[in-house]
Amino acid sequence: MTHAIRFHRTGGPEVLQWEAVEPPPPGPGEVRLRHHAVGLNFIDTYHRSGLYPLALPSGLGMEGAGVVEVVGEGVSEVKVGDRVAYTNGPLDAYSEVRTIPARHLVVLPDEIAFEQGAAMMLQGITAHYLLHSTYPVKAGETILVHAAAGGVGSILVQWAKLLGATVIGTVGSDDKAVRAKALGCDHVIVYSREKFPARVRELTGGKGVAVVYDSVGRDTFLASVACLQRRGTMVSYGNATGPVAPFDCALLHKAGSVYVTRPGLPDYIVTREELLERATALFEVVRSGKVKIEVMQRYALKDAAQAHRDLEARKTTGSTVLLP
């Protein structure tokens, strides 16, 4: 018998329970995987709270890394003993052992540790599609990244600099400002004491930025739109402060005929080929040292509730992993 985090009702971190479970044997196309590390992401709190509804009771978690223990019939993607990592798929990453469709797994390069692998798949592939597909950033452009010291934000900053962009980052504290600057931000705005739209206009000579990458949601949406240059793109990819309120589409015209999009990871890894393409690109920049995945916090998996409390209280920086 192994253990996993499960919840039977939605609510705060207190609904997360450490339970004994028996993963089903892998069926056709599935494998049994023993986790060595599990990634913590803000979307996990949306599932737990009911913002993104699930059938209950439910497991939790969208990414992890570990070793394949058993393969089901017809599995060709991986083999027993492979070091693998994944994102997306059925929510059950907060577990010691799980059964998962093999199509979601990618082989983890030997140079990348399990903790890194667990911390980088969802956040790193998200950064890849945001920068290369949702809005393809070009050298010389100026962009705005909210939560620049956070999990996705820290990868966005590094990768955008690699693409030749000028990066303005926002953070909530002076400590996080130091980290954002170290990651490569050309300018850092501490939004708790500065009105970031005015500061962005000042930094860009009144022009505004080509794109805003906003994982904050409700509290920053309208101000983010105000930061865009004419025909700029507002990318709202998270709801850390709650969902964005309804707004009048005429606002987009008044802001300079700007675009707004709300992307989601599953739509950017629809096929296995696309998953492998994005994962390969991520592994390459990490192995090169040009993008660093730093695990800043570690919690025992059984202490997932405390990890959620700290995440929602903005006490975490960069990437966090849960250890079985």
Side-chain angles (χ1 to χ4, degrees):
M1 189 70 69
T2 67
H3 289 81
I5 293 289
R6 294 182 64 78
F7 62 110
H8 298 258
R9 60 185 176 88
T10 57
E14 70 280 356
V15 303
L16 301 180
Q17 302 295 316
W18 181 241
E19 298 183 359
V21 297
E22 187 60 49
E30 296 180 332
V31 308
R32 189 174 72 202
L33 170 69
R34 181 169 295 275
H35 284 127
H36 285 238
V38 173
L40 176 73
N41 295 282
F42 224 99
I43 194 172
D44 302 343
T45 71
Y46 306 159
H47 290 136
R48 186 211 72 223
S49 69
L51 179 62
Y52 292 177
L54 301 172
L56 299 176
S58 177
L60 193 62
M62 293 185 63
E63 68 176 343
V67 174
V68 176
E69 291 191 330
V70 183
V71 299
E73 181 183 352
V75 170
S76 59
E77 294 89 347
V78 296
K79 64 183 185 300
V80 172
D82 276 351
R83 302 172 71 254
V84 296
Y86 67 90
T87 185
N88 211 23
L91 300 183
D92 203 16
Y94 286 23
S95 58
E96 294 175 323
V97 177
R98 71 169 300 179
T99 300
I100 184 172
R103 68 179 182 275
H104 296 301
L105 303 177
V106 296
V107 175
L108 193 62
D110 291 340
E111 303 94 323
I112 297 178
F114 286 119
E115 288 189 8
Q116 272 191 311
M120 72 193 288
M121 287 296 291
L122 188 150
Q123 295 172 354
I125 291 178
T126 295
H128 183 272
Y129 81 69
L130 290 175
L131 291 169
H132 293 84
S133 299
T134 305
Y135 180 86
V137 170
K138 297 174 284 294
E141 291 184 320
T142 300
I143 73 172
L144 177 63
V145 176
H146 285 303
V152 177
S154 62
I155 302 173
L156 280 173
V157 169
Q158 295 176 80
W159 214 332
K161 290 303 299 178
L162 190 58
L163 294 172
T166 296
V167 180
I168 303 171
T170 72
V171 295
S173 68
D174 289 328
D175 288 345
K176 291 186 176 183
V178 172
R179 173 165 168 76
K181 195 71 175 178
L183 289 166
C185 280
D186 297 277
H187 309 282
V188 181
I189 301 170
V190 181
Y191 62 78
S192 57
R193 64 166 179 264
E194 293 184 85
K195 295 185 180 300
F196 69 84
R199 182 65 175 141
V200 166
R201 291 291 173 184
E202 179 184 345
L203 291 169
T204 58
K207 181 181 179 181
V209 296
V211 60
V212 177
Y213 293 111
D214 188 344
S215 62
V216 179
R218 180 183 58 208
D219 288 0
T220 54
F221 182 81
L222 293 178
S224 293
V225 171
C227 294
L228 292 169
Q229 65 189 41
R230 183 174 284 114
R231 299 197 304 272
T233 300
M234 171 65 189
V235 181
S236 177
Y237 71 96
N239 315 287
T241 59
V244 173
F247 64 92
D248 183 352
C249 282
L251 166 70
L252 307 181
H253 168 228
K254 294 176 182 177
S257 299
V258 302
Y259 300 87
V260 173
T261 183
R262 179 54 172 92
L265 176 64
D267 294 318
Y268 287 86
I269 50 173
V270 176
T271 65
R272 179 158 178 82
E273 290 71 25
E274 191 169 29
L275 168 63
L276 292 175
E277 177 185 348
R278 296 194 190 281
T280 298
L282 174 62
F283 292 158
E284 286 178 356
V285 295
V286 171
R287 291 164 76 180
S288 73
K290 295 175 181 176
V291 172
K292 294 180 172 60
I293 308 296
E294 295 183 88
V295 176
M296 306 295 287
Q297 294 84 209
R298 296 168 177 84
Y299 297 81
L301 178 58
K302 65 180 180 179
D303 296 331
Q306 185 59 50
H308 276 224
R309 291 186 188 98
D310 291 347
L311 179 65
E312 292 179 301
R314 308 296 191 273
K315 293 181 179 179
T316 65
T317 302
S319 297
T320 302
V321 294
L322 309 173
L323 302 176

